[in-house]
Coordinates of all heavy atoms in Angstrom, one line a residue:
M1 N -16.6 -0.3 -14.7 CA -16.4 0.3 -13.4 C -16.6 1.8 -13.6 O -16.0 2.4 -14.5 CB -15.0 0.0 -12.8 CG -14.8 0.5 -11.4 SD -13.2 0.1 -10.8 CE -13.6 -1.0 -9.6
S2 N -17.5 2.5 -12.8 CA -17.8 3.9 -13.0 C -16.6 4.7 -12.6 O -15.6 4.3 -11.9 CB -19.0 4.3 -12.2 OG -18.7 4.3 -10.9
V3 N -16.6 6.0 -13.0 CA -15.6 6.9 -12.7 C -15.4 7.1 -11.2 O -14.3 7.1 -10.7 CB -15.8 8.3 -13.4 CG1 -14.8 9.3 -13.0 CG2 -15.8 8.1 -14.9
R4 N -16.5 7.3 -10.5 CA -16.4 7.5 -9.1 C -15.8 6.2 -8.4 O -15.0 6.4 -7.4 CB -17.8 7.8 -8.5 CG -18.2 9.1 -8.9 CD -19.5 9.5 -8.2 NE -20.0 10.8 -8.6 CZ -21.1 11.3 -8.4 NH1 -22.0 10.6 -7.8 NH2 -21.4 12.5 -8.8
K5 N -16.2 5.1 -8.8 CA -15.7 3.8 -8.2 C -14.2 3.7 -8.5 O -13.4 3.3 -7.6 CB -16.4 2.6 -8.7 CG -17.8 2.5 -8.2 CD -18.5 1.2 -8.7 CE -19.9 1.1 -8.1 NZ -20.6 -0.1 -8.6
R6 N -13.7 4.0 -9.7 CA -12.3 4.0 -10.0 C -11.5 5.0 -9.1 O -10.5 4.7 -8.6 CB -12.1 4.3 -11.4 CG -12.4 3.2 -12.3 CD -12.0 3.5 -13.8 NE -12.6 2.5 -14.6 CZ -12.4 2.5 -15.9 NH1 -11.7 3.4 -16.5 NH2 -12.9 1.5 -16.6
G7 N -12.1 6.2 -9.0 CA -11.5 7.2 -8.2 C -11.3 6.8 -6.7 O -10.3 6.9 -6.1
M8 N -12.4 6.3 -6.1 CA -12.4 5.8 -4.7 C -11.5 4.6 -4.6 O -10.7 4.5 -3.6 CB -13.8 5.5 -4.3 CG -14.7 6.7 -4.1 SD -14.0 7.9 -2.9 CE -14.0 7.0 -1.4
A9 N -11.5 3.7 -5.5 CA -10.6 2.6 -5.4 C -9.1 3.0 -5.5 O -8.3 2.5 -4.7 CB -10.9 1.6 -6.6
S10 N -8.8 3.9 -6.3 CA -7.4 4.4 -6.4 C -7.0 5.1 -5.1 O -5.9 5.0 -4.7 CB -7.2 5.3 -7.6 OG -8.0 6.5 -7.5
I11 N -7.9 5.9 -4.5 CA -7.6 6.5 -3.2 C -7.4 5.5 -2.1 O -6.4 5.6 -1.4 CB -8.7 7.5 -2.8 CG1 -8.7 8.7 -3.8 CG2 -8.6 7.9 -1.4 CD1 -10.0 9.6 -3.6
W12 N -8.2 4.5 -2.0 CA -8.1 3.5 -1.0 C -6.8 2.6 -1.2 O -6.1 2.3 -0.3 CB -9.3 2.6 -0.9 CG -10.4 3.2 -0.2 CD1 -11.6 3.6 -0.8 CD2 -10.5 3.6 1.2 NE1 -12.4 4.2 0.2 CE2 -11.8 4.3 1.4 CE3 -9.6 3.5 2.2 CZ2 -12.1 4.8 2.6 CZ3 -10.0 4.0 3.5 CH2 -11.3 4.6 3.6
L13 N -6.5 2.3 -2.5 CA -5.3 1.6 -2.8 C -4.1 2.4 -2.5 O -3.1 1.9 -2.0 CB -5.3 1.1 -4.2 CG -6.2 0.0 -4.5 CD1 -6.3 -0.3 -6.1 CD2 -5.8 -1.3 -3.8
G14 N -4.1 3.7 -2.7 CA -3.0 4.6 -2.3 C -2.8 4.6 -0.8 O -1.7 4.6 -0.3
I15 N -3.9 4.7 -0.1 CA -3.8 4.6 1.4 C -3.2 3.3 1.9 O -2.3 3.2 2.7 CB -5.1 4.9 2.1 CG1 -5.6 6.3 1.8 CG2 -5.1 4.6 3.5 CD1 -7.0 6.7 2.2
L16 N -3.7 2.2 1.3 CA -3.1 0.9 1.6 C -1.7 0.8 1.3 O -0.9 0.2 2.1 CB -3.9 -0.2 0.9 CG -3.5 -1.7 1.1 CD1 -3.7 -2.0 2.6 CD2 -4.2 -2.6 0.2
S17 N -1.3 1.3 0.2 CA 0.1 1.3 -0.2 C 1.0 2.1 0.8 O 2.1 1.6 1.2 CB 0.3 2.0 -1.6 OG 1.7 2.1 -1.9
G18 N 0.5 3.2 1.3 CA 1.2 4.0 2.3 C 1.3 3.2 3.6 O 2.4 3.2 4.3
L19 N 0.3 2.5 4.0 CA 0.3 1.7 5.2 C 1.3 0.5 5.1 O 2.0 0.2 6.0 CB -1.1 1.1 5.5 CG -2.1 2.2 6.0 CD1 -3.5 1.5 6.1 CD2 -1.7 2.8 7.3
L20 N 1.3 -0.1 3.9 CA 2.3 -1.2 3.7 C 3.7 -0.7 3.7 O 4.6 -1.3 4.3 CB 2.0 -1.9 2.4 CG 0.8 -2.8 2.3 CD1 0.4 -3.1 0.9 CD2 1.1 -4.1 3.0
A21 N 4.0 0.5 3.2 CA 5.3 1.0 3.2 C 5.7 1.4 4.6 O 6.9 1.1 5.1 CB 5.4 2.3 2.3
L22 N 4.8 1.9 5.4 CA 5.1 2.3 6.8 C 5.4 1.0 7.6 O 6.3 1.0 8.4 CB 3.9 3.0 7.4 CG 4.0 3.4 8.8 CD1 5.2 4.4 9.0 CD2 2.7 4.0 9.3
K23 N 4.6 0.0 7.4 CA 4.8 -1.3 8.1 C 6.2 -1.8 7.7 O 6.9 -2.4 8.6 CB 3.7 -2.3 7.8 CG 3.9 -3.6 8.6 CD 3.7 -3.3 10.0 CE 3.8 -4.6 10.8 NZ 3.6 -4.3 12.3
G24 N 6.6 -1.7 6.5 CA 7.9 -2.2 6.1 C 9.0 -1.4 6.8 O 10.0 -2.0 7.3
Y25 N 8.8 -0.1 7.0 CA 9.8 0.7 7.7 C 9.8 0.3 9.2 O 10.9 0.2 9.8 CB 9.5 2.2 7.5 CG 10.3 3.1 8.3 CD1 11.7 3.3 7.9 CD2 9.9 3.7 9.5 CE1 12.5 4.2 8.7 CE2 10.7 4.5 10.2 CZ 12.0 4.8 9.8 OH 12.8 5.6 10.6
L26 N 8.6 0.1 9.8 CA 8.6 -0.2 11.2 C 9.2 -1.6 11.5 O 9.8 -1.8 12.5 CB 7.1 -0.2 11.7 CG 6.5 1.2 11.7 CD1 5.0 1.1 12.1 CD2 7.3 2.1 12.6
V27 N 9.0 -2.6 10.5 CA 9.6 -3.9 10.7 C 11.1 -3.7 10.6 O 11.8 -4.4 11.4 CB 9.1 -4.8 9.6 CG1 9.9 -6.1 9.5 CG2 7.6 -5.2 9.9
M28 N 11.6 -2.9 9.7 CA 13.0 -2.7 9.7 C 13.6 -2.1 11.0 O 14.7 -2.4 11.4 CB 13.4 -1.8 8.5 CG 14.9 -1.5 8.3 SD 15.2 -0.3 7.1 CE 14.7 1.2 7.9
Q29 N 12.8 -1.1 11.6 CA 13.3 -0.5 12.8 C 13.3 -1.5 14.0 O 14.0 -1.3 14.9 CB 12.4 0.7 13.1 CG 12.5 1.8 12.2 CD 14.0 2.4 12.2 OE1 14.5 2.6 13.2 NE2 14.5 2.6 11.0
T30 N 12.4 -2.5 13.9 CA 12.4 -3.5 15.0 C 13.7 -4.3 15.1 O 14.0 -5.0 16.1 CB 11.2 -4.4 15.0 OG1 11.3 -5.2 13.8 CG2 9.9 -3.7 15.1
L31 N 14.4 -4.3 14.0 CA 15.7 -5.0 13.9 C 16.7 -4.5 15.0 O 17.5 -5.3 15.5 CB 16.3 -4.9 12.5 CG 17.5 -5.8 12.2 CD1 17.0 -7.3 12.3 CD2 17.9 -5.6 10.8
K32 N 16.6 -3.3 15.3 CA 17.5 -2.7 16.3 C 17.1 -3.1 17.7 O 18.0 -3.1 18.6 CB 17.4 -1.1 16.2 CG 17.9 -0.6 14.9 CD 17.7 0.9 14.8 CE 18.1 1.5 13.5 NZ 17.8 2.9 13.4
T33 N 15.9 -3.5 18.0 CA 15.5 -3.8 19.4 C 14.9 -5.2 19.5 O 14.0 -5.4 20.3 CB 14.4 -2.7 19.8 OG1 13.3 -2.8 18.9 CG2 14.9 -1.4 19.8
V34 N 15.5 -6.1 18.8 CA 15.0 -7.5 18.9 C 15.5 -8.1 20.2 O 16.6 -8.0 20.5 CB 15.5 -8.3 17.7 CG1 15.1 -9.8 17.9 CG2 14.9 -7.8 16.4
D35 N 14.5 -8.7 21.0 CA 14.9 -9.4 22.2 C 14.6 -10.9 22.0 O 13.5 -11.3 21.7 CB 14.2 -8.9 23.4 CG 12.7 -8.9 23.3 OD1 12.2 -9.0 22.1 OD2 12.0 -8.8 24.3
G36 N 15.6 -11.7 22.1 CA 15.4 -13.1 21.9 C 15.7 -13.5 20.4 O 16.5 -12.9 19.8
A37 N 15.1 -14.6 20.0 CA 15.4 -15.2 18.7 C 14.7 -14.5 17.5 O 15.1 -14.6 16.4 CB 15.1 -16.6 18.7
G38 N 13.6 -13.7 17.8 CA 12.9 -13.1 16.7 C 11.7 -12.3 17.2 O 11.6 -12.0 18.3
I39 N 10.8 -12.0 16.2 CA 9.6 -11.2 16.5 C 8.4 -11.8 15.9 O 8.5 -12.7 15.1 CB 9.8 -9.7 16.0 CG1 10.0 -9.7 14.5 CG2 11.0 -9.1 16.6 CD1 9.9 -8.4 13.8
G40 N 7.2 -11.2 16.2 CA 6.0 -11.5 15.5 C 5.6 -10.3 14.7 O 5.8 -9.2 15.1
I41 N 5.0 -10.6 13.5 CA 4.6 -9.5 12.6 C 3.1 -9.5 12.4 O 2.6 -10.6 12.0 CB 5.3 -9.6 11.3 CG1 6.8 -9.4 11.5 CG2 4.8 -8.5 10.3 CD1 7.7 -9.5 10.3
T42 N 2.4 -8.4 12.6 CA 1.0 -8.3 12.3 C 0.8 -7.1 11.4 O 1.6 -6.2 11.4 CB 0.2 -8.0 13.6 OG1 0.7 -6.8 14.2 CG2 0.3 -9.2 14.6
F43 N -0.3 -7.1 10.6 CA -0.6 -6.0 9.7 C -2.1 -5.8 9.8 O -2.9 -6.7 9.4 CB -0.1 -6.3 8.3 CG -0.4 -5.2 7.3 CD1 0.2 -3.9 7.5 CD2 -1.4 -5.3 6.3 CE1 -0.1 -2.9 6.6 CE2 -1.7 -4.3 5.5 CZ -1.0 -3.1 5.6
L44 N -2.5 -4.6 10.2 CA -3.9 -4.2 10.3 C -4.7 -5.2 11.1 O -5.8 -5.6 10.8 CB -4.6 -4.1 8.9 CG -4.0 -3.0 8.0 CD1 -4.7 -3.1 6.6 CD2 -4.2 -1.7 8.6
G45 N -4.1 -5.7 12.2 CA -4.7 -6.6 13.1 C -4.6 -8.1 12.8 O -5.1 -8.9 13.5
F46 N -4.1 -8.4 11.6 CA -3.9 -9.8 11.2 C -2.5 -10.2 11.4 O -1.6 -9.5 11.1 CB -4.3 -9.9 9.7 CG -5.7 -9.7 9.4 CD1 -6.1 -8.5 8.8 CD2 -6.7 -10.6 9.7 CE1 -7.4 -8.2 8.5 CE2 -8.0 -10.3 9.4 CZ -8.4 -9.1 8.8
E47 N -2.4 -11.4 12.0 CA -1.0 -11.9 12.2 C -0.4 -12.5 11.0 O -1.0 -13.4 10.4 CB -1.1 -13.0 13.3 CG 0.2 -13.5 13.8 CD 0.1 -14.5 14.9 OE1 -0.8 -15.3 14.9 OE2 0.9 -14.4 15.8
V48 N 0.7 -12.0 10.5 CA 1.4 -12.4 9.3 C 2.2 -13.7 9.7 O 2.1 -14.7 9.0 CB 2.2 -11.3 8.7 CG1 3.0 -11.8 7.5 CG2 1.4 -10.1 8.3
N49 N 3.0 -13.5 10.7 CA 3.9 -14.6 11.2 C 4.2 -14.3 12.7 O 4.6 -13.2 13.0 CB 5.1 -14.7 10.3 CG 5.9 -16.0 10.6 OD1 5.6 -16.7 11.5 ND2 6.8 -16.3 9.7
D50 N 4.1 -15.3 13.5 CA 4.4 -15.1 14.9 C 5.8 -15.4 15.3 O 6.2 -15.2 16.4 CB 3.4 -15.8 15.8 CG 3.5 -17.3 15.6 OD1 4.0 -17.8 14.6 OD2 3.0 -18.1 16.5
R51 N 6.6 -16.0 14.4 CA 7.9 -16.4 14.8 C 8.9 -16.1 13.6 O 9.2 -17.0 12.8 CB 8.0 -17.9 15.1 CG 7.3 -18.2 16.3 CD 7.4 -19.7 16.6 NE 6.5 -20.0 17.8 CZ 6.5 -21.1 18.4 NH1 7.4 -22.1 18.0 NH2 5.7 -21.4 19.4
V52 N 9.2 -14.9 13.5 CA 10.2 -14.4 12.4 C 11.6 -14.4 13.0 O 11.8 -13.6 14.0 CB 9.8 -13.1 11.8 CG1 10.8 -12.6 10.8 CG2 8.4 -13.1 11.2
L53 N 12.5 -15.1 12.5 CA 13.8 -15.1 13.0 C 14.5 -13.8 12.7 O 14.2 -13.1 11.7 CB 14.7 -16.2 12.4 CG 14.2 -17.7 12.7 CD1 15.0 -18.7 11.9 CD2 14.2 -17.9 14.2
T54 N 15.5 -13.4 13.5 CA 16.2 -12.2 13.4 C 16.8 -12.1 12.0 O 16.8 -11.0 11.4 CB 17.3 -12.0 14.4 OG1 16.7 -12.2 15.7 CG2 17.9 -10.7 14.4
S55 N 17.3 -13.1 11.4 CA 18.0 -13.1 10.1 C 17.0 -12.9 9.0 O 17.4 -12.5 7.9 CB 18.7 -14.4 9.9 OG 17.8 -15.5 9.9
E56 N 15.7 -13.1 9.2 CA 14.7 -12.9 8.2 C 13.9 -11.6 8.3 O 13.0 -11.4 7.4 CB 13.7 -14.1 8.2 CG 14.3 -15.5 8.0 CD 13.4 -16.6 8.2 OE1 12.2 -16.4 8.6 OE2 13.8 -17.7 7.9
I57 N 14.2 -10.8 9.2 CA 13.4 -9.6 9.4 C 13.5 -8.7 8.2 O 12.4 -8.1 7.8 CB 13.8 -8.9 10.7 CG1 13.3 -9.7 11.9 CG2 13.2 -7.5 10.8 CD1 13.8 -9.2 13.3
M58 N 14.6 -8.5 7.7 CA 14.8 -7.5 6.5 C 14.1 -8.1 5.3 O 13.5 -7.3 4.5 CB 16.3 -7.3 6.2 CG 16.9 -6.3 7.1 SD 16.0 -4.7 7.2 CE 16.3 -4.1 5.6
S59 N 14.0 -9.4 5.1 CA 13.2 -9.9 4.0 C 11.7 -9.6 4.1 O 11.1 -9.4 3.1 CB 13.5 -11.4 3.8 OG 13.0 -12.1 4.9
Y60 N 11.2 -9.6 5.3 CA 9.8 -9.2 5.5 C 9.6 -7.7 5.2 O 8.6 -7.3 4.6 CB 9.4 -9.5 6.9 CG 8.9 -11.0 7.1 CD1 9.8 -12.0 7.3 CD2 7.6 -11.3 7.0 CE1 9.4 -13.3 7.4 CE2 7.1 -12.6 7.1 CZ 8.1 -13.6 7.3 OH 7.6 -14.9 7.4
A61 N 10.6 -6.9 5.6 CA 10.5 -5.5 5.3 C 10.5 -5.2 3.8 O 9.7 -4.4 3.3 CB 11.7 -4.7 6.0
Y62 N 11.4 -5.9 3.1 CA 11.5 -5.8 1.7 C 10.2 -6.3 1.0 O 9.7 -5.7 0.1 CB 12.7 -6.5 1.1 CG 14.0 -6.0 1.4 CD1 15.1 -6.8 1.7 CD2 14.2 -4.6 1.5 CE1 16.3 -6.3 2.0 CE2 15.5 -4.1 1.8 CZ 16.5 -4.9 2.0 OH 17.7 -4.4 2.3
G63 N 9.6 -7.3 1.6 CA 8.4 -7.8 1.1 C 7.2 -6.8 1.2 O 6.5 -6.6 0.3
F64 N 7.2 -6.1 2.3 CA 6.1 -5.1 2.5 C 6.4 -4.0 1.5 O 5.4 -3.4 1.0 CB 6.2 -4.6 4.0 CG 5.4 -5.4 4.9 CD1 6.0 -6.1 5.9 CD2 4.0 -5.5 4.9 CE1 5.3 -6.9 6.8 CE2 3.3 -6.2 5.8 CZ 3.9 -6.9 6.7
W65 N 7.6 -3.6 1.3 CA 7.9 -2.5 0.4 C 7.6 -2.9 -1.1 O 7.0 -2.1 -1.9 CB 9.3 -2.0 0.5 CG 9.6 -1.3 1.7 CD1 8.8 -0.5 2.4 CD2 10.8 -1.3 2.4 NE1 9.4 0.0 3.5 CE2 10.7 -0.4 3.6 CE3 12.1 -1.9 2.2 CZ2 11.7 -0.2 4.5 CZ3 13.1 -1.6 3.1 CH2 12.9 -0.8 4.3
I66 N 7.8 -4.1 -1.5 CA 7.5 -4.6 -2.8 C 6.0 -4.6 -3.0 O 5.5 -4.1 -4.1 CB 8.2 -5.9 -3.1 CG1 9.7 -5.8 -3.2 CG2 7.6 -6.6 -4.3 CD1 10.5 -7.1 -3.2
V67 N 5.3 -5.1 -2.1 CA 3.8 -5.2 -2.2 C 3.3 -3.8 -2.2 O 2.3 -3.5 -3.0 CB 3.2 -6.0 -1.1 CG1 1.7 -5.9 -1.0 CG2 3.6 -7.5 -1.2
S68 N 3.9 -2.9 -1.4 CA 3.4 -1.5 -1.4 C 3.6 -0.8 -2.8 O 2.7 -0.1 -3.3 CB 4.2 -0.7 -0.4 OG 4.0 0.7 -0.5
G69 N 4.7 -1.1 -3.4 CA 5.0 -0.6 -4.8 C 4.0 -1.1 -5.8 O 3.5 -0.4 -6.7
A70 N 3.7 -2.4 -5.7 CA 2.7 -3.0 -6.6 C 1.3 -2.4 -6.4 O 0.6 -2.1 -7.4 CB 2.7 -4.5 -6.4
V71 N 0.9 -2.3 -5.2 CA -0.4 -1.7 -4.9 C -0.5 -0.2 -5.4 O -1.5 0.2 -6.0 CB -0.8 -1.8 -3.4 CG1 -2.0 -1.0 -3.1 CG2 -0.9 -3.3 -3.0
L72 N 0.6 0.5 -5.2 CA 0.7 1.9 -5.7 C 0.6 1.9 -7.2 O -0.1 2.8 -7.8 CB 1.9 2.6 -5.2 CG 2.1 4.1 -5.5 CD1 0.9 4.9 -4.9 CD2 3.4 4.6 -5.1
L73 N 1.2 1.0 -7.9 CA 1.2 1.0 -9.3 C -0.2 0.7 -9.8 O -0.7 1.4 -10.8 CB 2.1 -0.1 -9.8 CG 2.2 -0.3 -11.3 CD1 2.8 0.9 -12.0 CD2 3.0 -1.5 -11.7
V74 N -0.9 -0.2 -9.2 CA -2.3 -0.5 -9.5 C -3.2 0.8 -9.3 O -4.1 1.1 -10.1 CB -2.9 -1.7 -8.8 CG1 -4.4 -1.8 -8.9 CG2 -2.2 -2.9 -9.2
A75 N -3.0 1.5 -8.2 CA -3.7 2.7 -7.9 C -3.5 3.8 -9.0 O -4.4 4.5 -9.4 CB -3.3 3.2 -6.5
M76 N -2.2 3.9 -9.4 CA -1.9 4.9 -10.4 C -2.5 4.5 -11.8 O -2.9 5.4 -12.5 CB -0.4 5.0 -10.5 CG 0.2 5.7 -9.3 SD 2.0 5.6 -9.3 CE 2.5 6.4 -10.8
I77 N -2.5 3.2 -12.1 CA -3.2 2.8 -13.3 C -4.7 3.1 -13.3 O -5.2 3.6 -14.3 CB -2.9 1.3 -13.6 CG1 -1.4 1.1 -14.0 CG2 -3.8 0.7 -14.7 CD1 -1.0 -0.3 -14.0
L78 N -5.3 2.8 -12.2 CA -6.7 3.1 -12.0 C -7.0 4.6 -12.2 O -7.9 5.0 -12.8 CB -7.3 2.6 -10.7 CG -7.8 1.2 -10.6 CD1 -8.2 0.8 -9.2 CD2 -9.0 1.0 -11.6
A79 N -6.2 5.4 -11.5 CA -6.3 6.8 -11.6 C -6.1 7.4 -13.0 O -6.7 8.3 -13.4 CB -5.5 7.5 -10.5
G80 N -5.1 6.8 -13.6 CA -4.8 7.2 -15.0 C -5.8 6.8 -16.0 O -5.9 7.4 -17.1
S81 N -6.6 5.8 -15.7 CA -7.7 5.4 -16.7 C -8.9 6.3 -16.6 O -9.8 6.2 -17.4 CB -8.1 4.0 -16.4 OG -8.8 3.9 -15.1
I82 N -8.9 7.3 -15.7 CA -10.0 8.2 -15.6 C -9.8 9.3 -16.6 O -8.8 10.1 -16.5 CB -10.2 8.8 -14.2 CG1 -10.5 7.7 -13.2 CG2 -11.3 9.8 -14.2 CD1 -10.5 8.1 -11.8
K83 N -10.6 9.5 -17.6 CA -10.5 10.5 -18.6 C -11.3 11.8 -18.2 O -12.4 11.7 -17.8 CB -11.0 10.0 -20.0 CG -10.3 8.7 -20.4 CD -8.9 9.0 -20.7 CE -8.2 7.7 -21.2 NZ -6.8 7.6 -21.0
P84 N -10.7 13.0 -18.4 CA -11.4 14.2 -18.0 C -12.7 14.4 -18.7 O -13.7 14.9 -18.1 CB -10.4 15.3 -18.4 CG -9.1 14.6 -18.4 CD -9.4 13.2 -18.8
Q85 N -12.9 14.0 -19.9 CA -14.1 14.2 -20.6 C -15.3 13.3 -20.1 O -16.4 13.5 -20.4 CB -14.0 14.0 -22.2 CG -13.5 12.6 -22.6 CD -12.0 12.6 -22.7 OE1 -11.3 13.3 -22.1 NE2 -11.5 11.6 -23.5
K86 N -14.9 12.2 -19.3 CA -15.9 11.4 -18.7 C -16.5 12.0 -17.5 O -17.5 11.5 -17.0 CB -15.3 10.0 -18.5 CG -15.0 9.2 -19.7 CD -14.6 7.8 -19.3 CE -14.4 6.9 -20.5 NZ -13.9 5.6 -20.1
L87 N -15.8 12.9 -16.9 CA -16.3 13.5 -15.7 C -17.5 14.5 -16.0 O -17.4 15.3 -16.8 CB -15.2 14.3 -15.0 CG -14.0 13.5 -14.5 CD1 -12.9 14.4 -13.9 CD2 -14.5 12.5 -13.4
K88 N -18.6 14.3 -15.3 CA -19.8 15.1 -15.5 C -19.7 16.4 -14.6 O -19.4 16.3 -13.5 CB -21.0 14.3 -15.2 CG -21.2 13.2 -16.2 CD -22.4 12.3 -15.8 CE -22.5 11.2 -16.8 NZ -23.5 10.2 -16.4
G89 N -20.1 17.5 -15.2 CA -20.1 18.7 -14.4 C -18.9 19.5 -14.4 O -18.8 20.6 -13.9
I90 N -17.8 19.0 -15.0 CA -16.5 19.7 -15.1 C -16.3 20.1 -16.5 O -16.3 19.3 -17.4 CB -15.4 18.8 -14.6 CG1 -15.6 18.5 -13.1 CG2 -14.0 19.5 -14.7 CD1 -14.6 17.5 -12.5
K91 N -16.1 21.4 -16.7 CA -15.9 21.9 -18.0 C -14.4 21.9 -18.4 O -13.6 22.4 -17.6 CB -16.4 23.3 -18.1 CG -17.9 23.4 -17.9 CD -18.4 24.8 -18.1 CE -19.9 24.7 -17.8 NZ -20.7 25.6 -18.6
T92 N -14.1 21.3 -19.5 CA -12.7 21.3 -20.0 C -12.6 22.4 -21.0 O -13.5 23.0 -21.4 CB -12.5 19.9 -20.7 OG1 -13.4 19.8 -21.8 CG2 -12.6 18.7 -19.8
P93 N -11.3 22.8 -21.3 CA -11.1 23.9 -22.2 C -11.8 23.7 -23.6 O -12.1 24.6 -24.2 CB -9.6 24.0 -22.3 CG -9.1 23.3 -21.1 CD -10.1 22.3 -20.7
E94 N -11.9 22.4 -24.0 CA -12.5 22.2 -25.3 C -14.0 22.4 -25.2 O -14.6 22.7 -26.3 CB -12.3 20.7 -25.7 CG -10.8 20.4 -25.9 CD -10.1 20.0 -24.7 OE1 -10.7 19.5 -23.7 OE2 -8.9 20.2 -24.6
S95 N -14.7 22.3 -24.1 CA -16.1 22.4 -24.0 C -16.5 23.9 -23.8 O -17.7 24.2 -23.8 CB -16.7 21.5 -22.9 OG -16.2 22.0 -21.7
V96 N -15.6 24.8 -23.5 CA -16.0 26.2 -23.2 C -16.2 26.9 -24.4 O -15.8 26.8 -25.5 CB -14.9 26.8 -22.3 CG1 -15.2 28.3 -22.0 CG2 -14.8 26.1 -21.0

């Protein structure tokens, strides 16, 4: 995988991680305003589950946060694998 592809992949994975964490927070906040037996959960237009019981809402929020952390970890590993000497056009102190 080229340096640019790794950089772009790590940026997109970082954005996805932020969206997952935000969704986990929003799912947790819906616990305060549940009407009826439960809620439906969607993420980026995809339906995750249409009948989540009130007692299971926090487990879905924790699930979004755990997946967010895993995606962020992958993004950090990808970004960390980019070595400065592999970047073209950028002068490092050793090359000056």
Side-chain angles (χ1 to χ4, degrees):
M1 189 179 245
S2 71
V3 174
R4 288 184 182 170
K5 287 183 182 178
R6 284 184 190 182
M8 289 303 294
S10 64
I11 289 170
W12 284 112
L13 286 173
I15 292 170
L16 180 64
S17 173
L19 290 173
L20 284 164
L22 179 65
K23 184 63 177 183
Y25 176 74
L26 294 175
V27 167
M28 183 188 70
Q29 290 299 314
T30 61
L31 191 59
K32 297 177 183 176
T33 59
V34 174
D35 55 342
I39 62 170
I41 296 179
T42 60
F43 181 68
L44 297 178
F46 295 103
E47 186 175 40
V48 176
N49 194 346
D50 63 341
R51 295 181 188 191
V52 178
L53 298 176
T54 306
S55 61
E56 297 175 354
I57 291 175
M58 280 307 292
S59 63
Y60 276 83
Y62 291 141
F64 277 111
W65 288 330
I66 289 170
V67 171
S68 171
V71 170
L72 183 63
L73 181 65
V74 170
M76 291 171 56
I77 289 171
L78 270 177
S81 68
I82 299 172
K83 304 294 180 203
Q85 59 268 22
K86 289 187 178 179
L87 298 174
K88 295 178 182 172
I90 297 177
K91 297 188 181 210
T92 59
E94 295 85 26
S95 66
V96 175

